Amino acid sequence: MKLKDIISALDLTREDYEKIFEDADRFRKNGITSKLLERKIIATAFFEPSTRTMLSFHAAAVKLGASVIGFSGTEGISVMKGENLADTIRMLNSYSDLIVIRHKYDGAALFAAEVSLVPVINAGDGKHEHPTQALIDLYTVREVFNTIDNLTFGLFGDLKYARTINSLLRALTRFKPKRVYLISPPQLKVRREVLEDINYPVYEKEYLNEIINELDVLYVTRIQRERFPDEIEYQKVKESYRVTKEILKDMKKNSIILHPLPRVNEIDREVDKDPRAKYFLQSSLGVPVRMALLYNILG
Ligand code: NCD
């Protein structure tokens, strides 16, 4: 397999997902991989803040023997002087073999890929997509359940502005979920254009306690405050949902709770001690999954 740009979770087939997961397994098992991408240069162009995504791409590249160049934020680079995205990408083309981009605008990653001569990975573009997070999410599900098919998912929280939700819903089209519940306040429902892309039925709910006992995977997102067009709209929904120890009493023993992180206050700190809370495991799997992705594009 040789992959090129990864802009949407739909850019991968089921076989691609499985190959990446198997390679991630392998990278976790045999530590030494340091020559696979020797002499390759990965550029990380992060126009928007990031902790996990950028650092795990860095770690993944270094573990494969690649070098990393890049920037985080627009302070200190020529965007501040008015350079446009196309020119920045063209410049990175002559310095690197692959570009990982994060940007506040929907569509910026696709635009970059259209301009770029080297492969582009979308590390989050506005409220559109974050496909490498969906890879990590499904890899974590597979790690715990040994399968991704035939499970009941509950996606909970800000489903309107969270790009991780859009990518996860699209990634699930490559599998056979038993049931997918979308649980959110009415103002934060999944956008129609995302629903149009999926090939399985979804069930919208307002309250988690209606269906929590059915779930195998509870996937929680924070309210994406920075994406609200209007602060007043944000004020209306802030703190409108929360996962507590109380509510988890009805959840199955062998179910799991995921969250792409960062968490604000939508999951109580107390829940971290619950054995079903797998969000720190999930974030630790970011490195092997991103290694496998880089390897399948550049290896
Ligand atoms: C997510 C993102 O940037 O969309 N973060 C991440 O990459 N793990 C989720 C979020 O910011 O809420």
Side-chain angles (χ1 to χ4, degrees), residues 156-159 161-162 185 188 220-228 233-241 259 262-266:
F156 180 51
D158 180 350
L159 309 184
Y161 296 114
L188 298 178
V220 189
T221 61
R222 79 183 162 91
I223 297 204
Q224 310 281 303
R225 181 178 190 168
E226 69 278 28
R227 313 248 179 256
F228 278 67
E233 289 306 310
Y234 165 73
Q235 291 298 335
K236 282 189 207 154
V237 290
K238 76 166 197 203
E239 295 179 15
S240 57
Y241 61 89
H259 190 306
R263 167 214 3 222
V264 184
N265 54 13
E266 59 284 347

Side-chain angles (χ1 to χ4, degrees), residues 76-228:
I77 59 166
S78 291
V79 174
M80 294 294 282
K81 302 182 194 163
E83 183 166 54
N84 65 40
L85 180 59
D87 287 353
T88 305
I89 296 300
R90 282 189 197 104
M91 182 235 5
L92 289 176
N93 270 192
S94 47
Y95 304 161
S96 65
D97 300 291
L98 179 145
I99 299 171
V100 182
I101 184 174
R102 170 171 286 195
H103 201 283
K104 70 175 175 183
Y105 291 133
D106 299 30
L110 178 61
F111 177 77
E114 283 166 0
V115 175
S116 179
L117 303 172
V118 303
V120 171
I121 298 178
N122 181 6
D125 62 329
K127 61 184 180 336
H128 173 232
E129 278 224 36
H130 190 355
T132 66
Q133 182 64 47
L135 270 166
I136 297 163
D137 301 340
L138 292 184
Y139 184 69
T140 311
V141 170
R142 174 184 172 276
E143 174 77 12
V144 177
F145 293 99
N146 251 311
T147 177
I148 294 166
D149 297 320
N150 275 314
L151 297 172
T152 298
F153 290 79
L155 279 47
F156 180 51
D158 180 350
L159 309 184
K160 182 171 184 179
Y161 296 114
R163 55 197 177 195
T164 56
I165 293 291
N166 301 341
S167 289
L168 182 56
L169 284 168
R170 290 180 173 123
L172 281 171
T173 63
R174 305 306 191 224
F175 298 89
K176 295 190 172 54
K178 181 168 163 199
R179 222 161 223 269
V180 178
Y181 288 107
L182 303 175
I183 314 128
S184 72
Q187 301 96 319
L188 298 178
K189 284 188 182 180
V190 175
R191 294 193 311 278
R192 182 189 297 260
E193 78 253 26
V194 181
L195 294 179
E196 280 168 2
D197 274 352
I198 61 181
N199 58 0
Y200 49 83
V202 290
Y203 302 87
E204 295 192 310
K205 299 279 170 195
E206 194 172 337
Y207 301 106
L208 183 58
N209 59 11
E210 298 174 58
I211 45 91
I212 188 144
N213 58 346
E214 289 180 47
L215 301 182
D216 297 303
V217 180
L218 171 62
Y219 189 95
V220 189
T221 61
R222 79 183 162 91
I223 297 204
Q224 310 281 303
R225 181 178 190 168
E226 69 278 28
R227 313 248 179 256
F228 278 67

